[in-house]
Amino acid sequence: MDLQLTDARATVEERAAVDALLGPPETPWDGGERDAYGVRVSRTGREAREQRHLLLPALHAVQDRIGWISEGALNYVSIRLTVPPAETFGVASFYALFALQERPPTVVHICDDIACGSSGAERLCGEMERLIGPAGTPTTDGGTTWQRSPCLGLCEQAPAALVQRAGIGVTDRSIGCARAEDVVAAITSRADEIGLGADVATIAPQTADESRSELRLLRRVGVVDPGSLDSYRAEGGYEALRMAVEMGPGGVIRELKDARLMGRGGAAFPTGVKWEAVASQASRPHYFICNADESEPGTFKDRVLMEHDPFALIESLTIAGYTTASEHGSIYIRGEYPLAQARLRHAIDEARERGYLGDDVMGEGFTFDIEVRRGAGAYICGEETALLNSIEGKRGEPRSKPPFPVSRGLFGKPTGINNVETLVNVLEILRIGGPAYAQIGTEGSTGPRLFCLSGTVERPGLYEVPFGATLRDLIELAGGVSGGRPLKAVLLGGAAGAFVRPQDLDLKLTFEDTRAAGVTLGSGVVMAFDDTVSLPEVLLRIAAFFRDESCGQCVPCRVGTVRQEEALQRIVRGAQIGSRDEELALLGEIAQVMRDASICGLGQTAANAVVSAIEQLGVFEGADTSNGSQDRSVPTRTEEQES
């Protein structure tokens, strides 16, 4: 392959970072083609394809070592993987956590998204500017800079920060309830101070009666040692996997169907049906992926499970692999979760060492192993086919469907995909049985559900309740609105969800009740806003989020998200081109086009919150909101849009 490289050369350190991942370069045969480094470049098409999936990890290796990815490093990665440089650049430039321009080795990301924005983010940014300097400006020694960031997944610990540090033996670090002095301390701390017991505070889980005996999905959180397999086994760990092997794949699928478990990522697709579809495919091999790229602003439930009960995810993913005849599993985790990554990798290593992963799992004659794949800051990769492209070393852009992943997924093979919460439910189903599980919740929404409470409530955190609890129940569990102030609105389902009025707090949180009300549970976000919060500013932040996170593949989303933000800016700033009613009508038209014509759920739901705020809350009071979209219901994600 003629790679058409530029003259830029990778440094010794950049090459060492790539070689540490890929191994030493192959020695060219006599007379064989060599590149400037003496690396073999004449690979067959099959050899090249087999290496392509290592592109994202190779870029991470350079970023982790150097702090940014130079043109020379891109050239070297292209040579080692036989990937055209234009495609290497296209992938590297797709992800927000990769830097293609030189910058300091330490970068501090301060979240100013919806939850943090109402909980002190501006104050923190002001302190950072006083201590370090203006955003984007290196310190005098050139070692540190800071910048504003979209949601970091620490919404219950707002305001939040993420410290990215480059070098050998150092790790990124998340900081919840951040103060400027905490951030400065994290910048200067030694690498050996950051390990499996890092500094993200444990948020105590809650139930309707605040009794741990009622917990199912969170019953081990705060109880087991997340770094100890023995601690996990002492709390019933791996009993579900043994039961799964005893009843066989068909028996597991039968229990899932009896339980009527629906996906918890927002799609609400029947889990048993999905697993059965993968298991029945004749093509081999099969793959099973855990979608842990939760990037919806306000969502952090999967992070809490991975940080505090990682073996539960390993066990449930192993059950999924056994049931669907998959030999390989992947956990695709968002790049902003350093502690969860560390704990999962440790759990996988320990499970493998003890025989719970590998060629002969528990001596039962089946093979299953797991790898952790780290994202790099792209909300769109929560869409299942965009996630598949990302793992394969391509830009994280959604695929056209059909075919669906259950028949043609990762590397063109049958693939099952579920998120963390969905998989952990499987352990409870096998523990108590499918019929008993179906008795929890309601007829149409069975089992327990995790909700992420944040915003202006007294006790933000992760709460587990049976389906059928109301919004009022959840807000009361969280101690009510902060300071007893009046509630202005609740954002249900995240940035792609919808606003709910204070008079609608008795809405039951089930699939059927929210659907009837024209809203969606989404990923389980419940974000409260009191009367001190400016909802127009919240809408602007949501619009900016979707503008930045659109992958740009389809015109309705690429252009529509920009036009939506522009119209909102004009209305909020009082700079309308025409009347306010005309601007609102334009927003309705943009929403309808994005909903009808976008390829995936990002574009189809990007206007949900804006439309609901205008129509349900009357955010821009005095305007005629009868124009625009005729379909007032909020579209929910479909099975292929989010797992």
Side-chain angles (χ1 to χ4, degrees):
M1 179 184 294
D2 186 359
L3 294 181
Q4 297 295 317
L5 302 169
T6 66
D7 294 332
R9 296 285 302 274
T11 66
V12 172
E13 194 172 9
E14 288 169 339
R15 298 201 305 270
V18 177
D19 293 344
L21 172 74
L22 303 179
E26 297 180 29
T27 303
W29 60 89
D30 291 339
E33 184 181 354
R34 303 167 184 258
D35 79 318
Y37 306 101
V39 176
R40 174 187 170 196
V41 296
S42 296
R43 288 188 174 90
T44 65
R46 179 177 179 179
E47 285 179 304
R49 288 192 298 272
E50 288 177 348
Q51 293 288 305
R52 178 64 184 259
H53 70 99
L54 296 174
L55 178 53
L56 192 60
L59 295 173
H60 269 300
V62 177
Q63 175 89 23
D64 292 345
R65 180 78 66 91
I66 311 300
W68 68 290
I69 305 171
S70 70
E71 186 178 343
L74 290 175
N75 281 342
Y76 189 68
V77 170
S78 295
I79 292 168
R80 289 300 317 271
L81 297 179
T82 321
V83 176
E87 295 187 23
T88 302
F89 175 82
V91 171
S93 61
F94 185 83
Y95 297 94
L97 292 182
F98 290 149
L100 301 184
Q101 300 293 326
E102 186 172 5
R103 68 180 189 181
T106 299
V107 178
V108 180
H109 302 263
I110 303 295
C111 177
D112 67 350
D113 217 307
I114 312 170
C116 289
S118 61
S119 302
E122 290 305 319
R123 173 189 52 79
L124 178 58
C125 288
E127 293 175 355
M128 293 298 296
E129 185 166 351
R130 176 176 57 84
L131 292 175
I132 295 181
T137 303
T139 53
T140 54
D141 63 1
T144 304
T145 188
W146 73 278
Q147 63 189 46
R148 292 173 179 264
S149 168
C151 184
L152 296 173
L154 289 168
C155 309
E156 86 282 28
Q157 302 175 55
L162 172 70
V163 180
Q164 265 188 303
R165 306 190 302 176
I168 299 175
V170 298
T171 61
D172 295 348
R173 188 168 185 172
S174 296
I175 304 174
C177 304
R179 300 171 301 170
E181 50 266 38
D182 300 328
V183 176
V184 172
I187 292 170
T188 58
S189 64
R190 301 195 317 272
D192 61 6
E193 293 174 341
I194 304 167
L196 295 178
D199 50 21
V200 178
T202 299
I203 303 299
Q206 304 287 334
T207 59
D209 60 1
E210 299 188 349
S211 168
R212 289 204 65 91
S213 64
E214 296 296 318
L215 292 174
R216 298 177 183 275
L217 307 182
L218 298 178
R219 61 191 175 91
R220 284 181 293 263
V221 171
V223 176
V224 300
D225 176 356
S228 170
L229 178 57
D230 288 334
S231 175
Y232 177 68
R233 291 185 60 197
E235 295 296 326
Y238 281 100
E239 292 178 1
L241 178 57
R242 294 189 184 280
M243 294 176 61
V245 173
E246 290 175 3
M247 64 180 61
V252 174
I253 291 172
R254 182 176 60 252
E255 293 294 335
L256 294 180
K257 288 185 173 182
D258 288 346
R260 302 197 300 279
L261 174 64
M262 311 291 274
R264 301 297 201 249
F269 190 82
T271 304
V273 173
K274 179 184 288 188
W275 287 27
E276 185 176 47
V278 177
S280 65
Q281 298 295 319
S283 178
R284 291 290 189 273
H286 294 177
Y287 297 95
F288 210 101
I289 297 172
C290 171
N291 183 349
D293 192 56
E294 58 169 4
S295 302
E296 185 83 46
T299 310
F300 49 86
K301 56 190 174 65
D302 290 351
R303 191 206 82 236
V304 172
L305 288 169
M306 290 185 289
E307 287 178 350
H308 301 293
D309 198 10
F311 288 102
L313 177 56
I314 304 305
E315 181 183 7
S316 55
L317 187 54
T318 305
I319 293 171
Y322 168 74
T323 305
T324 60
S326 303
E327 295 183 351
H328 182 83
S330 295
I331 301 174
Y332 188 95
I333 185 171
R334 69 176 299 191
E336 296 89 342
Y337 284 175
L339 179 59
Q341 293 168 31
R343 288 183 172 174
L344 282 172
R345 293 182 193 278
H346 174 81
I348 290 170
D349 289 343
E350 191 165 348
R352 188 182 294 122
E353 182 179 340
R354 301 278 287 276
Y356 291 103
L357 291 173
D359 292 334
D360 185 16
V361 176
M362 298 193 309
E364 295 291 346
F366 75 93
T367 297
F368 188 74
D369 211 341
I370 299 172
E371 66 171 352
V372 174
R373 282 299 184 109
R374 178 166 44 138
Y379 170 73
I380 188 62
C381 287
E383 197 278 337
E384 61 181 9
T385 60
L387 183 155
L388 297 177
N389 277 339
S390 183
I391 292 178
E392 291 179 7
K394 303 168 185 173
R395 289 170 63 89
E397 297 174 342
R399 302 174 182 177
S400 296
K401 298 173 285 286
F404 296 97
V406 293
S407 60
R408 188 173 177 82
L410 188 65
F411 307 121
K413 299 299 183 179
T415 304
I417 307 176
N418 285 123
N419 77 340
V420 176
E421 184 186 355
T422 307
L423 288 169
V424 172
N425 268 275
V426 174
L427 303 182
E428 183 66 9
I429 290 171
L430 295 183
R431 186 174 77 92
I432 66 174
Y437 180 93
Q439 296 302 308
I440 303 168
T442 67
E443 180 67 22
S445 303
T446 63
R449 184 70 201 259
L450 299 181
F451 288 97
C452 309
L453 271 290
S454 62
T456 53
V457 293
E458 288 287 351
R459 296 191 299 274
L462 184 61
Y463 292 81
E464 177 184 328
V465 295
F467 271 111
T470 66
L471 269 176
R472 190 183 307 277
D473 294 333
L474 284 174
I475 292 176
E476 289 177 355
L477 281 175
V481 180
S482 299
R485 298 194 67 90
L487 180 68
K488 181 182 287 187
V490 176
L491 181 59
L492 180 62
F499 284 95
V500 177
R501 302 170 300 175
Q503 54 265 45
D504 296 325
L505 290 184
D506 291 320
L507 173 67
K508 290 185 177 180
L509 298 176
T510 66
F511 294 126
E512 59 270 25
D513 287 286
T514 53
R515 190 178 301 117
V519 294
T520 175
L521 291 179
S523 53
V525 173
V526 177
M527 194 178 297
F529 301 100
D530 65 20
D531 61 343
T532 67
V533 177
S534 169
L535 290 183
E537 293 297 331
V538 171
L539 295 182
L540 283 177
R541 189 64 186 86
I542 292 173
F545 174 81
F546 283 113
R547 175 206 65 204
D548 291 339
E549 296 297 338
S550 172
C551 75
Q553 181 181 196
C554 69
V555 173
C557 179
R558 181 178 70 239
V559 177
T561 52
V562 174
R563 297 292 176 258
Q564 173 176 256
E565 187 195 20
E566 290 173 345
L568 283 172
Q569 287 279 6
R570 291 194 297 268
I571 296 172
V572 173
R573 309 306 178 206
Q576 302 97 277
I577 295 176
S579 69
R580 181 173 293 186
D581 288 354
E582 290 173 329
E583 294 282 18
L584 292 172
L586 175 62
L587 279 172
E589 292 169 2
I590 292 171
Q592 192 66 54
V593 171
M594 287 196 292
R595 181 182 303 180
D596 291 343
S598 296
I599 289 177
C600 80
L602 189 153
Q604 293 165 11
T605 60
N608 280 357
V610 173
V611 170
S612 68
I614 292 171
E615 298 180 351
Q616 298 299 319
L617 304 179
V619 170
F620 304 113
E621 193 172 350
D624 177 11
T625 60
S626 62
N627 295 322
S629 171
Q630 295 180 353
D631 180 6
R632 300 306 185 191
S633 64
V634 175
T636 59
R637 293 173 177 82
T638 56
E639 179 266 331
E640 71 272 15
Q641 289 164 359
E642 184 175 343
S643 297

